[in-house]
Amino acid sequence: MRIQPVSSVNLDTPYGPMHTHVFRPDRPGKYPGVVLFAEIYQMTGPIARTAAMIAGHGFLVAVPDVYHEFTQPGEAFAYDIPGTDRGNTLKTTKELASYDADARAVIDFFGNDPGCTRRVGSVGICLGGHLAFRAAMNPEVETGVCFYATDIHKGSLGKGMADDTLARIPEIQGEMMMIWGRQDPHIPNEGRRIIYDAMTAAETRFTWHEFNGEHAFMRDEGHRYDPALAQLLNAMACQQFTTCLK
C-alpha cells in the first residue's frame, strides 16, 4: 500500500530526546508497530527505503537516531572511512543502558499511538541487528528480524565493551529470525555458532538462515549489495511480521 510522507517525533529518553523517523501506511486503520534499528551510519537512504518497504506492507515503522546523544536530529553519516570511523567510535562510546532505553521509548510510543495495534516487532541491520535482538528482550516485542547482527558473540556493545546480550537471551519471548552472510568477516562461523548454541540452550523460538554474502549485502549502495538476495530476504522479513503481528 502507499505510505504517508515521512514524519518525525522526538521521544523522551533518560539520555535526552531521541529524534525518530516515522513511516505510516496511507490508509485508515491501525497497524502493528515495527522499530527499525539502523547501521552505525544512522538513517541513510538505504535504511529509509527499507523502512518505506516495510511500512508499505501494512506496518507503522519507527527509525530512531541510534546516536541521538551525540548527533544533530536526523543526521546520517556517509558510507566512507570518516563516516565508518565515527559510527564505530560512537558504538562503544554510548552507554549500553542508553541503547536499551531507546528501544523502550519506541515501544512506549507504539503503545500510545492511536494508529498502532500495540503489537510490536523489531528489525535491524548490522549494529541495528544487535539492537533489534536486545529490543526483543522487552515482553511486548513478539518477533525480531536480525540481519547480520554484529558483536553479540563478542559481547562488545556499548561503553566498556562488555554487554550482557548472550546472558539475557532467555528473556526473549517472541520468535526470532536470524539472517547471516557466510562470508561476513565480522561474524565468522565460530561467532555464529556461539549465538546459535546460546539461543538453542535458552529454548528460544527462532529460525536461522545463512547465505553466501559479505557484510552489508542488503545495503542497496556499494559493491557488496546482492539485489536478488535482498529481495528474497525483505520478503521473508515482511512475511515474518505478517505472521507474528497480524
Side-chain angles (χ1 to χ4, degrees), residues 32-34 59 117-122 140-145 173-177 205-207 236-246:
V34 173
F59 298 94
T117 63
R118 299 187 180 183
R119 303 192 71 177
V120 179
S122 64
E140 295 92 340
V141 177
E142 299 181 57
T143 186
V145 177
Q173 300 178 28
E175 181 176 321
M176 305 299 291
M177 175 180 283
R205 290 185 296 125
F206 71 98
T207 58
M236 288 173 56
C238 288
Q239 184 58 54
Q240 179 80 0
F241 292 134
T242 297
T243 299
C244 294
L245 301 178
K246 291 188 175 181

Side-chain angles (χ1 to χ4, degrees), residues 73-187:
E75 182 180 355
F77 308 155
Y79 291 122
D80 57 17
I81 292 175
T84 300
D85 288 346
R86 188 177 183 201
N88 279 325
T89 296
L90 291 177
K91 181 171 67 170
T92 54
T93 301
K94 183 179 173 99
E95 298 278 356
L96 184 65
S98 182
Y99 287 118
D100 292 340
D102 294 349
R104 186 68 253 169
V106 179
I107 293 168
D108 291 343
F109 165 73
F110 287 142
N112 293 318
D113 191 285
C116 186
T117 63
R118 299 187 180 183
R119 303 192 71 177
V120 179
S122 64
V123 61
I125 301 169
C126 188
L127 162 68
H130 193 156
L131 300 182
F133 193 82
R134 288 187 69 89
M137 297 170 186
N138 291 278
E140 295 92 340
V141 177
E142 299 181 57
T143 186
V145 177
C146 303
F147 291 97
Y148 36 88
T150 56
D151 303 317
I152 294 177
H153 68 288
K154 296 190 296 182
S156 58
L157 179 64
K159 186 175 181 179
M161 300 178 67
D163 70 65
D164 57 356
T165 300
L166 288 172
R168 292 184 59 192
I169 287 176
E171 297 177 36
I172 296 175
Q173 300 178 28
E175 181 176 321
M176 305 299 291
M177 175 180 283
M178 310 298 293
I179 298 168
W180 311 96
R182 291 184 59 81
Q183 288 75 43
D184 185 344
H186 298 289
I187 314 105

Side-chain angles (χ1 to χ4, degrees), residues 5 9 29 36 38 41 54 57 75 79 84 88 91 116 153 183 188 197 200 202 208-210 225 230 242:
V9 295
L36 168 57
Y41 307 94
I54 296 171
H57 283 77
E75 182 180 355
Y79 291 122
T84 300
N88 279 325
K91 181 171 67 170
C116 186
H153 68 288
Q183 288 75 43
D197 288 348
T200 300
W208 190 270
H209 311 272
E210 295 191 6
Y225 178 47
T242 297

